[in-house]
Structure formats: structure tokens, C-alpha cells
Amino acid sequence: MNSRIDDTALQVSLGPLKLQNPVIAASGTFGYGEEYAPLIPLKRLGAIVTKGLSLEPRKGNPPPRVTETAAGMLNAIGLENVGVKAFLQEKLPKLRKLRCPILVNIFGNTLQEYGEIARRLGDVEGIAGLEVNISCPNLKAGGSIFAADPRSVFQVTSKIRHATSAFIMVKLSPNVADIGKIAQAAEEGGANAISLINTLVGLAIDAHTRTPILGNITGGLSGPAIKPVGLAMVWKTAQSVKVPVVGMGGIVGAEDALEYLIAGATAVEVGCAHFIDPRAPLKIIEGIHKYLQAHHLPDVPSLIGSLRLKKDSAS
Ligand SMILES: Cc1cc2nc3c(=O)[nH]c(=O)nc-3n(C[C@H](O)[C@H](O)[C@H](O)COP(=O)(O)O)c2cc1C
């Protein structure tokens, strides 16, 4: 890297969590982290978010679980994972050696499950914090997702806040009416940061057989097709809360990441781009560095939320 500006220029703070650069590997697209160790130097990433973890192991959905779509993909993995106990015994000891902050993505189907998993993982050595996936059905409230209702978002966030003093980042769903109100509920509940967007609900159909392509019928849409949705939601969220926002959705290159930073994100997560190029996050880090130099900017924070609105733009 040419260092007319030094590497500290890439540092960002997510509240109490300091990152060497703003590029994070997104949950469910990077295994438990260690799987990518033979492919890229993980210590160069800002952070890694693990695959979503539940209290007990889960087998996930019937196949097919993924299918390609125009400028993206649909997945219905069904949150398959090894569960907390196996994670702590088998995965975490290896992750501790990676020299990269590890955020553990967690989910549950009741408030109690969220509280319990946060209690068991929050203050464990080697875990830098928790990313809370709230795009799961709330079984005690008729099965609509926690993320859809500000009251449930507040409840789940405060449940976790009371269970641990760890850094918590609540991950929002785009499948909601008013993202600003949802983000405020997470902030009021005690979130240190907000990340978004999770996938959008989608359906792929085979017209010849007239059957759904995925075993689960519907799935989550990700990839470049969702970037404009992610950017709009990050922009709205950054104006609605004081805590830092982490943006994602369709980031494949440095320019995508820069757009999220300009929209108001303090950091970004790279998701299904890893399936095309495992080195994508490294290229993005280098691209951000080059952009700072080319635009004579001192550091990443000077870029965050720097969207220039035309005089007659709607506010
Ligand atoms: C195969 C796959 C599995 C995913 N699993 C999870 C998960 O376990 N927990 C979670 O919060 N998000 C999960 N996501 C969502 C991603 O972390 C990310 O929010 C989404 O894919 C949008 O980013 P992208 O367009 O860069 O992929 C998954 C996405 C994919 C493609």
C-alpha cells in the first residue's frame, strides 16, 4: 500500500469497539471465520461476524437452499448452526488465534432465548461483541419477526443489554414499514450500534414445473440487486439514531462500500460477494485507502455521512 496517508486513516470506532478499518465480513457468508483462513489473511479485516448461532444446534431447511437471481441470490439456509456449546468448545479456541475482532451473530425465537444466549456468550474472552439478528419469528407473539415491531425490538435489545455488558449491535431487517422508528427502538433498548440490512424476502419460481425453486418456498434476497434498498435504509437510519450504523447489502467493490460510508455508515459488511471472490474485503480495504488519497481526505471518519444534497433536494 502506498502510504502518503498512514494506515491509521482507516480506523473507525463503533462506540466502544475500535476497528483497524471499516470492512467486516457479514454473518452467514464467512462460515465461522476459520474456513477462510487458508484463503485470505484474516488479521487484515476490520472484524468478522460469525454464522448465526442459536442456543441449540439447528439442521436448517430442506434443499435446494440457494438459487441465483438477477444481480443477486436467494438463500433459505434456515440458520443451520452448531449451537452455543459446540461453538464455545470447538470453534472459539481457533477464532481466538486469528488476531481479528470476532463478533458473534446470535438469534432466538423467544425473548428468553435471546437473553440466555447473550448471557452465555457476551462476556467470553475472544468475543469482541454480539450482532443480534432480529429477523426471526417471535413465537410468543404469533410468529411475526421481532424486527417488524418497535416494541419487540426494544424488548429484545433491553433483554440482551441486561444479560451482558458486552458490545451489542442490533441487525435490522429491511422488511419493515419505518426503519427509523425500529432503529430508535434498538437504540433506546441499549444497542451500541445498528447494522442493516438483512436480506429481503423473495420468491423464485420454475415456470416449467410451476414449483418454487427453494425447498423453503421463499428465501432472502442479497447481492447487488439490494444495494439501493440498503443505501436508502442506512441513510434514513443514520439520521434517526446517535449510535454508529454499519451498512450492508450488495457490496462487491470499494465503490459500493464508499457509497455506504457517504450515506452515513461508520463501517460496512461484505456478504455474498465472498462467494464470488474470497479476497473481496481486502480489495475493498485497498480501494478505500486509494480513494482517500485521490480525494485528499485525511481519514475514513471524514467521509462518513458526507452525502452532498443538492440545494433543492427534499430533506
Ligand atoms: C447464505 C447466506 C446466509 C446468511 N446467514 C445469515 C445469518 O446467519 N445471520 C444474519 O444475521 N444474516 C445472515 N445473512 C445475511 C447477510 O449477513 C447480509 O445481511 C445480506 O446477505 C446482505 O448483504 P449482501 O448483499 O452483501 O450479501 C446471510 C446471507 C446469505 C447470503
Side-chain angles (χ1 to χ4, degrees):
M1 234 183 240
N2 171 351
S3 38
R4 260 196 299 125
I5 52 172
D6 68 60
D7 283 345
T8 60
L10 296 189
Q11 289 173 357
V12 293
S13 297
L14 298 177
L17 185 65
K18 314 282 175 232
L19 305 181
Q20 62 171 341
N21 68 63
V23 181
I24 302 171
S27 180
T29 66
F30 212 68
Y32 293 96
E34 46 156 344
E35 294 88 337
Y36 278 76
L39 303 173
I40 65 168
L42 298 174
K43 64 174 189 213
R44 287 186 47 203
L45 300 180
I48 293 171
V49 185
T50 67
K51 204 165 168 37
L53 269 190
S54 47
L55 274 179
E56 299 300 329
R58 276 170 66 117
K59 283 207 173 98
N61 286 330
R65 291 171 159 196
V66 292
T67 186
E68 200 169 334
T69 58
M73 63 176 282
L74 277 176
N75 92 82
I77 307 294
L79 297 169
E80 177 183 351
N81 76 95
V82 298
V84 169
K85 194 169 161 209
F87 174 79
L88 288 172
Q89 283 173 0
E90 294 158 26
K91 307 287 180 190
L92 189 61
K94 292 180 199 150
L95 295 181
R96 284 197 184 110
K97 296 183 190 143
L98 297 181
R99 290 191 289 149
C100 175
I102 303 296
L103 297 169
V104 179
N105 182 284
I106 59 167
F107 67 94
N109 286 119
T110 62
L111 284 178
Q112 281 61 36
E113 279 178 23
Y114 275 105
E116 179 59 15
I117 192 164
R119 192 187 61 73
R120 287 180 56 185
L121 291 174
D123 302 306
V124 172
E125 194 229 314
I127 297 179
L130 304 175
E131 181 180 60
V132 187
N133 176 4
I134 53 172
S135 302
C136 302
N138 180 351
L139 294 185
K140 293 214 169 120
S144 69
I145 61 169
F146 284 94
D149 167 39
R151 212 176 111 83
S152 335
V153 174
F154 175 80
Q155 284 173 336
V156 75
T157 313
S158 38
K159 188 82 184 174
I160 294 173
R161 183 71 296 160
H162 287 115
T164 174
S165 58
F167 169 84
I168 56 175
M169 176 157 85
V170 175
K171 181 170 178 180
L172 307 187
S173 163
N175 305 304
V176 302
D178 186 340
I179 198 73
K181 286 213 174 79
I182 302 280
Q184 282 164 358
E187 181 175 49
E188 278 160 28
N192 299 104
I194 308 278
S195 59
L196 75 164
I197 58 176
N198 211 319
T199 54
L200 286 140
V201 176
L203 168 64
I205 293 176
D206 181 335
H208 299 282
T209 58
R210 299 192 211 167
T211 53
I213 290 173
L214 294 177
N216 185 57
I217 308 178
T218 59
L221 182 65
S222 58
I226 73 169
K227 188 178 75 171
V229 180
L231 283 172
M233 291 201 155
V234 162
W235 181 64
K236 179 81 197 283
T237 301
Q239 289 171 47
S240 306
V241 295
K242 293 192 187 71
V243 292
V245 175
V246 174
M248 80 196 89
I251 297 177
V252 296
E255 213 155 302
D256 304 315
L258 288 160
E259 289 166 19
Y260 272 97
L261 298 172
I262 292 165
T266 297
V268 295
E269 292 188 25
V270 177
C272 60
H274 295 122
F275 302 151
I276 298 166
D277 181 5
R279 298 184 69 82
L282 299 186
K283 292 177 183 166
I284 293 170
I285 295 165
E286 278 162 25
I288 294 173
H289 194 273
K290 282 192 185 132
Y291 178 94
L292 293 180
Q293 288 184 332
H295 289 258
H296 308 291
L297 288 163
D299 51 23
V300 169
S302 63
L303 190 61
I304 296 167
S306 61
L307 184 67
R308 294 173 179 153
L309 298 180
K310 299 200 174 92
K311 266 209 181 106
D312 51 356
S313 301
S315 60

Coordinates of all heavy atoms in Angstrom, one line a residue, residues 157-187:
T157 N -33.8 -6.0 22.7 CA -32.5 -5.3 22.9 C -32.3 -5.1 24.4 O -31.2 -5.4 24.9 CB -32.5 -3.9 22.2 OG1 -32.9 -4.1 20.8 CG2 -31.1 -3.4 22.2
S158 N -33.3 -4.7 25.1 CA -33.1 -4.5 26.5 C -32.9 -5.8 27.3 O -32.1 -5.9 28.3 CB -34.1 -3.6 27.2 OG -35.4 -3.9 26.7
K159 N -33.5 -6.9 26.8 CA -33.2 -8.2 27.4 C -31.7 -8.5 27.3 O -31.1 -9.0 28.3 CB -34.1 -9.2 26.6 CG -34.1 -10.6 27.2 CD -35.1 -10.7 28.4 CE -35.0 -12.0 29.1 NZ -35.9 -12.0 30.2
I160 N -31.2 -8.3 26.1 CA -29.8 -8.6 25.9 C -28.9 -7.6 26.7 O -27.9 -8.0 27.3 CB -29.4 -8.6 24.4 CG1 -30.2 -9.7 23.7 CG2 -28.0 -8.7 24.2 CD1 -30.1 -9.7 22.2
R161 N -29.3 -6.4 26.7 CA -28.5 -5.4 27.4 C -28.4 -5.7 28.9 O -27.3 -5.5 29.6 CB -29.1 -4.0 27.3 CG -28.5 -2.8 27.9 CD -27.2 -2.4 27.2 NE -26.1 -3.4 27.2 CZ -25.0 -3.4 26.4 NH1 -24.9 -2.6 25.4 NH2 -24.1 -4.3 26.5
H162 N -29.5 -6.3 29.5 CA -29.5 -6.7 30.9 C -28.7 -8.0 31.1 O -28.3 -8.2 32.2 CB -30.9 -6.8 31.5 CG -31.5 -5.4 31.6 ND1 -32.6 -5.0 30.9 CD2 -31.2 -4.4 32.4 CE1 -32.9 -3.8 31.3 NE2 -32.1 -3.4 32.2
A163 N -28.5 -8.8 30.1 CA -27.8 -10.0 30.2 C -26.3 -9.9 30.1 O -25.6 -10.8 30.6 CB -28.3 -11.0 29.1
T164 N -25.8 -8.8 29.5 CA -24.4 -8.7 29.3 C -24.0 -7.2 29.2 O -24.7 -6.4 28.7 CB -23.9 -9.4 28.0 OG1 -22.6 -9.2 27.7 CG2 -24.7 -9.0 26.7
S165 N -22.7 -7.0 29.5 CA -22.2 -5.6 29.3 C -21.4 -5.5 28.0 O -20.8 -4.5 27.7 CB -21.3 -5.3 30.5 OG -20.2 -6.2 30.6
A166 N -21.4 -6.6 27.3 CA -20.7 -6.6 26.0 C -21.2 -5.6 25.0 O -22.3 -5.2 25.1 CB -20.7 -8.0 25.4
F167 N -20.4 -5.4 24.0 CA -20.8 -4.6 22.8 C -21.9 -5.3 22.1 O -21.8 -6.4 21.7 CB -19.6 -4.4 21.9 CG -19.9 -3.8 20.5 CD1 -20.0 -2.4 20.4 CD2 -20.1 -4.6 19.4 CE1 -20.3 -1.9 19.1 CE2 -20.4 -4.1 18.2 CZ -20.5 -2.7 18.0
I168 N -23.0 -4.6 21.9 CA -24.1 -5.2 21.1 C -24.5 -4.3 19.9 O -24.7 -3.1 20.1 CB -25.3 -5.7 21.9 CG1 -25.9 -4.5 22.7 CG2 -25.0 -6.8 22.8 CD1 -27.2 -5.0 23.5
M169 N -24.7 -5.0 18.8 CA -25.1 -4.4 17.6 C -26.3 -5.1 17.1 O -26.3 -6.3 16.9 CB -23.9 -4.5 16.5 CG -24.2 -4.0 15.2 SD -22.6 -3.6 14.3 CE -22.2 -5.2 13.6
V170 N -27.4 -4.3 16.9 CA -28.7 -5.0 16.5 C -28.8 -4.9 15.0 O -28.7 -3.8 14.4 CB -29.8 -4.3 17.3 CG1 -31.2 -4.9 16.8 CG2 -29.7 -4.5 18.8
K171 N -29.1 -6.0 14.4 CA -29.1 -6.1 12.9 C -30.6 -6.1 12.5 O -31.4 -7.0 12.8 CB -28.4 -7.4 12.4 CG -28.4 -7.5 10.9 CD -27.5 -8.6 10.5 CE -27.5 -8.8 9.0 NZ -26.7 -9.9 8.6
L172 N -30.9 -5.0 11.7 CA -32.3 -4.8 11.3 C -32.6 -5.4 10.0 O -31.8 -5.6 9.1 CB -32.5 -3.3 11.2 CG -32.2 -2.4 12.4 CD1 -32.6 -1.0 12.3 CD2 -32.7 -3.0 13.7
S173 N -33.9 -5.7 9.8 CA -34.5 -6.2 8.6 C -35.0 -5.1 7.7 O -35.6 -4.1 8.2 CB -35.6 -7.2 9.0 OG -36.4 -7.5 7.8
P174 N -34.9 -5.2 6.4 CA -35.5 -4.2 5.5 C -37.0 -4.5 5.3 O -37.7 -3.6 4.7 CB -34.7 -4.4 4.2 CG -34.4 -5.9 4.2 CD -34.1 -6.3 5.7
N175 N -37.5 -5.6 5.8 CA -38.9 -6.0 5.6 C -39.8 -5.3 6.6 O -40.5 -6.0 7.3 CB -39.0 -7.5 5.6 CG -38.1 -8.2 4.6 OD1 -38.1 -7.9 3.4 ND2 -37.2 -9.0 5.1
V176 N -39.7 -4.0 6.7 CA -40.4 -3.2 7.8 C -41.0 -1.9 7.2 O -40.5 -1.5 6.1 CB -39.5 -2.9 9.0 CG1 -38.9 -4.1 9.6 CG2 -38.4 -1.9 8.6
A177 N -41.9 -1.3 7.9 CA -42.6 -0.1 7.4 C -41.7 1.1 7.6 O -41.5 1.9 6.7 CB -43.9 0.0 8.1
D178 N -41.2 1.3 8.8 CA -40.5 2.5 9.2 C -39.2 2.2 9.9 O -39.1 2.0 11.1 CB -41.4 3.4 10.1 CG -40.8 4.8 10.3 OD1 -39.5 4.9 10.1 OD2 -41.5 5.7 10.7
I179 N -38.1 2.2 9.1 CA -36.8 1.7 9.6 C -36.3 2.7 10.7 O -35.6 2.2 11.6 CB -35.8 1.5 8.5 CG1 -34.6 0.7 8.9 CG2 -35.3 2.9 7.9 CD1 -34.9 -0.8 9.0
G180 N -36.6 4.0 10.6 CA -36.1 4.9 11.6 C -36.7 4.6 13.0 O -35.9 4.6 13.9
K181 N -38.0 4.3 13.0 CA -38.6 4.0 14.3 C -38.0 2.7 14.9 O -37.8 2.6 16.1 CB -40.1 3.9 14.2 CG -40.8 5.1 14.0 CD -42.2 5.1 14.6 CE -42.9 6.4 14.5 NZ -43.5 6.7 13.2
I182 N -37.8 1.7 14.0 CA -37.2 0.5 14.5 C -35.8 0.7 15.1 O -35.4 0.2 16.1 CB -37.2 -0.5 13.3 CG1 -38.5 -0.8 12.7 CG2 -36.5 -1.8 13.7 CD1 -39.5 -1.7 13.4
A183 N -35.0 1.5 14.4 CA -33.6 1.8 14.8 C -33.6 2.5 16.1 O -32.8 2.2 17.0 CB -32.9 2.6 13.7
Q184 N -34.6 3.4 16.3 CA -34.6 4.2 17.6 C -35.0 3.2 18.7 O -34.5 3.4 19.8 CB -35.7 5.3 17.5 CG -35.1 6.5 16.7 CD -36.2 7.4 16.2 OE1 -37.4 7.2 16.4 NE2 -35.8 8.5 15.6
A185 N -35.8 2.3 18.4 CA -36.2 1.3 19.5 C -35.0 0.5 19.9 O -34.8 0.2 21.1 CB -37.3 0.4 19.0
A186 N -34.2 0.1 19.0 CA -33.0 -0.6 19.3 C -32.0 0.2 20.1 O -31.4 -0.2 21.1 CB -32.3 -1.1 18.1
E187 N -31.9 1.5 19.8 CA -31.0 2.4 20.5 C -31.5 2.6 21.9 O -30.8 2.6 22.9 CB -31.0 3.8 19.7 CG -30.1 4.8 20.4 CD -30.0 6.1 19.6 OE1 -31.0 6.6 19.1 OE2 -28.8 6.5 19.3

